[in-house]
Amino acid sequence: MKILAWAEMFCEYLGGSRDELPPGAPAFLATWWFAGLWWGLLAVTILLFCGQTSKFIYIDF
Amino acid sequence: MIFNTFAYFALFLVPAAIVFRLVRPAFQPWTCLLFGAGFFVYFSLTQVGGAPGAFCLAIFIWESIFSRFYRPRSWICLVGIAQTILFLVIFKYWNFFTGLVCAPLGRNPLFWRGAFLPLGISFFTFEFIHYAVDRYRGTAPRGKFGEYLAFILFFPTMVAGPIKRYQDFRPKLIHPSLAWETDWRQGITRILAGLAKKFAVADLLTALTDHLNHADIAKAARWVLPIWLLAYGMKIYADFSAYSDIAIGSARLFGLRVPENFDWPYLRTNIAQFWKHWHMSLYRWLVDYVFIPLGGSRTSPPRVYVNVLITMLLSGLWHGAGLNFVVWGLWHGMLLCAYRLWSNWRQTPLASATVPGPALITVAGLRMTGLEPVGPPRPLPVPAACPQLCAAGEVAETRTVRRPNAQVTEEAGWDNPKHQVFSEHRQVPGEGPVSWCAKLAAWGLTFVLVNLGWAFFCMDLPTSLFFFRRLFLG
């Protein structure tokens, strides 16, 4: 369970909803260069999959 | 659309966030409202409602002027609530309700052919009602004219939430975070993660969910149907949580924190916990402004069940003007009632004496409703702002860091007979060690029940009933 909770916190950090790294995570994950790398990866993912143009479900559903 | 358009970022978000950070504090609310007004008009003209939709900016102006007259215990607040509901009913439910009324005639002479929805009406309605009610109760400050306009026209949350509270938002607006570096870093990460989730997960699942129509269901193999429904369950989560991520990340660029909307809802092991972690800002709104005014949990037991059902029925109706949404709301209402029934029964001495611990299947059934086999409630051993792990290794049920505008109230929510739902240190009934198998079974059952409910959400009523007939009867 502790591992799952840690993984949850780690995912939240990667997703930007948590400001602090979970305890025990490598410190380089909090550096700007890692953030740049992560943003690059997310941007590539966005570029790969964008263009399907479906609207958000909850907007004036 | 909107949040995944270039215009949103280039014309509104980035300029507004930079200007907001650079201007003097006195002008910051006005920055929010000017960009918010531009956002409303631009996206009304280009995406929703057209020119009549853009004209609905007048609703915000009228609301901001009218709300100046709100006073504690004043009838003007009640008029404000009534007119807000009237706006919603006219724009969103006119054809639905007149259709129901005129059904015996076979046609609807009152049908509004040019009906349109003002951008974000389903959500700004919540904030208008919240302000009127809290001004009536005396729990919300009056604030300045510009501050309230900035609150209702704050564009990152205007269209689909998260639903804010004025007493929470105003202090942040007056004293926004000055930690540029952290705010922008986390905000950009959150926005990118949201966009990636939307494009790579939600939109990809559309290929499966598009089959949820009568024709495809009729000719599909039976084993495919649950996969399609599960895909919809994943899609709606990825879609709406992605939207919330972008909204929350956008607000973060301004240095403003808005409420969270999701907290791993699909990992929850009972329906009440699911609702407490799914669309959290809506859940809290429903509890504070529907369930509690109806009497909450402090009335006679039968009435409490009625209150739960009414609340969930309204929640369903709010999600869409259709009978399928009503049934979806009632489905969840019944699940919550079943949970509550079990919760109450389990806390009787008879239940404690008779519930057998070793019977795994029974345990699984109990876990489905959020309760472990035996044992009295015990408090979570977690102090206020502490790590989220308690001594037993369980994730704490409340998280102060994820609930920036949590309201501590002594009133009960619909899932806890002990009146502790919104306590920051609530007790979890019977929380204690339980086997992984039982937890897995409880999670699985909750997951299945929630996902079955999506059938009513994503298809009209006849199609969803046909879906279930094919699913269960072949």
Side-chain angles (χ1 to χ4, degrees):
Chain A
M1 181 56 92
K2 281 181 179 172
I3 293 171
L4 277 184
W6 188 91
E8 186 183 311
M9 285 192 274
F10 184 66
C11 289
E12 288 174 350
Y13 177 78
L14 286 181
S17 63
R18 175 181 292 276
D19 287 1
E20 304 85 23
L21 270 172
F28 76 87
L29 295 174
T31 57
W32 268 102
W33 71 262
F34 177 79
L37 200 68
W38 178 233
W39 290 355
L41 192 67
L42 289 171
V44 168
T45 308
I46 291 165
L47 287 173
L48 278 176
F49 289 94
C50 70
Q52 301 172 89
T53 59
S54 71
K55 71 190 283 280
F56 283 100
I57 292 173
Y58 261 74
I59 295 183
D60 296 325
F61 23 82
Chain B
M1 304 293 276
I2 294 181
F3 274 5
N4 46 1
T5 57
F6 183 71
Y8 170 71
F9 295 99
L11 298 180
F12 298 101
L13 180 59
V14 175
I18 291 174
V19 171
F20 182 86
R21 296 275 193 173
L22 294 177
V23 298
R24 287 166 49 198
F27 294 115
Q28 285 176 330
W30 296 96
T31 306
C32 284
L33 78 88
L34 286 175
F35 275 95
F39 173 93
F40 185 87
V41 171
Y42 178 85
F43 284 107
S44 292
L45 289 174
T46 57
Q47 300 205 13
V48 186
F55 186 71
C56 287
L57 184 64
I59 294 176
F60 288 89
I61 296 166
W62 170 251
E63 160 70 15
S64 60
I65 295 168
F66 193 81
S67 64
R68 291 288 87 195
F69 299 102
Y70 291 165
R71 298 282 184 281
R73 300 289 153 195
S74 163
W75 59 270
I76 298 177
C77 299
L78 305 179
V79 174
I81 296 166
Q83 72 176 7
T84 303
I85 294 171
L86 190 67
F87 287 144
L88 185 69
V89 168
I90 288 173
F91 283 110
K92 189 166 175 176
Y93 300 105
W94 180 263
N95 287 340
F96 175 66
F97 285 136
T98 56
L100 287 180
V101 171
C102 301
L105 299 176
R107 63 186 187 87
N108 180 6
L110 299 172
F111 189 80
W112 180 12
R113 242 170 246 294
F116 68 94
L117 280 174
L119 186 65
I121 189 168
S122 301
F123 284 85
F124 66 65
T125 295
F126 280 139
E127 296 187 346
F128 291 3
I129 292 175
H130 135 69
Y131 185 68
V133 172
D134 283 5
R135 284 293 295 150
Y136 182 85
R137 290 172 176 167
T139 55
R142 184 164 183 259
K144 294 177 183 169
F145 182 66
E147 289 166 358
Y148 184 64
L149 260 173
F151 169 71
I152 58 178
L153 280 169
F154 185 61
F155 66 85
T157 60
M158 182 200 295
V159 179
I163 302 157
K164 311 185 297 296
R165 303 287 175 95
Y166 187 61
Q167 53 270 51
D168 172 61
F169 184 78
R170 183 169 165 263
K172 292 171 185 164
L173 182 69
I174 297 169
H175 302 292
S177 161
L178 299 176
W180 271 72
E181 187 182 321
T182 311
D183 288 338
W184 275 68
R185 178 179 161 143
Q186 294 303 104
I188 291 170
T189 305
R190 193 95 193 245
I191 291 168
L192 288 174
L195 286 171
K197 204 191 295 181
K198 166 67 177 164
F199 289 130
V201 183
D203 283 355
L204 211 59
L205 287 169
T206 305
L208 292 174
T209 59
D210 275 352
H211 293 294
L212 288 168
N213 58 68
H214 197 284
D216 286 354
I217 292 168
K219 60 188 177 193
R222 199 173 160 193
W223 62 268
V224 177
L225 300 179
I227 295 174
W228 290 349
L229 193 60
L230 184 66
Y232 188 82
M234 293 298 107
K235 178 188 165 171
I236 194 169
Y237 172 64
D239 188 282
F240 194 29
S241 69
Y243 187 93
S244 300
D245 284 337
I246 300 169
I248 293 165
S250 300
R252 194 79 194 267
L253 299 189
F254 290 77
L256 302 173
R257 299 268 195 144
V258 293
E260 292 288 338
N261 249 356
F262 293 91
D263 188 9
W264 304 90
Y266 280 146
L267 296 184
R268 304 299 155 183
T269 51
N270 67 67
I271 188 67
Q273 283 297 320
F274 169 82
W275 264 103
K276 222 180 296 178
H277 296 88
W278 175 278
H279 204 174
M280 292 147 69
S281 61
L282 173 68
Y283 165 82
R284 288 196 292 272
W285 193 96
L286 288 172
V287 169
D288 286 346
Y289 302 107
V290 180
F291 183 68
I292 290 175
L294 284 172
S297 294
R298 299 195 167 179
T299 55
S300 62
R303 180 64 196 272
V304 175
Y305 297 109
V306 173
N307 291 346
V308 171
L309 285 172
I310 290 173
T311 306
M312 292 312 292
L313 185 141
L314 289 176
S315 164
L317 198 56
W318 172 81
H319 277 88
L323 289 175
N324 56 317
F325 290 105
V326 172
V327 174
W328 176 78
L330 287 173
W331 167 258
H332 278 276
M334 286 188 293
L335 292 178
L336 286 165
C337 285
Y339 164 80
R340 193 182 172 83
L341 264 173
W342 172 255
S343 180
N344 285 337
W345 176 80
R346 187 202 154 268
Q347 289 181 4
T348 61
L350 178 66
S352 296
T354 54
V355 175
L360 183 61
I361 190 68
T362 308
V363 174
L366 304 188
R367 282 299 306 207
M368 183 276 283
T369 58
L371 298 164
E372 289 70 41
V374 287
R378 66 176 176 80
L380 285 173
V382 209
C386 75
Q388 294 165 4
L389 302 176
C390 68
E394 296 274 357
V395 177
E397 294 295 340
T398 53
R399 302 170 170 213
T400 50
V401 290
R402 297 296 304 272
R403 300 179 59 193
N405 73 340
Q407 292 201 339
V408 180
T409 161
E410 61 174 5
E411 185 54 78
W414 49 43
D415 67 333
N416 194 328
K418 289 292 182 187
H419 304 271
Q420 291 159 343
V421 169
F422 289 114
S423 162
E424 288 298 309
H425 297 288
R426 57 171 293 211
Q427 290 184 323
V428 179
E431 186 70 29
V434 68
S435 78
W436 269 97
C437 287
K439 281 183 180 175
L440 201 62
W443 168 79
L445 205 49
T446 307
F447 186 76
V448 167
L449 290 173
V450 168
N451 276 282
L452 284 176
W454 290 128
F456 297 115
F457 195 93
C458 66
M459 293 174 272
D460 59 42
L461 197 55
T463 310
S464 54
L465 294 176
F466 177 65
F467 176 88
F468 283 119
R469 206 177 72 201
R470 281 237 51 211
L471 182 65
F472 293 113
L473 303 176

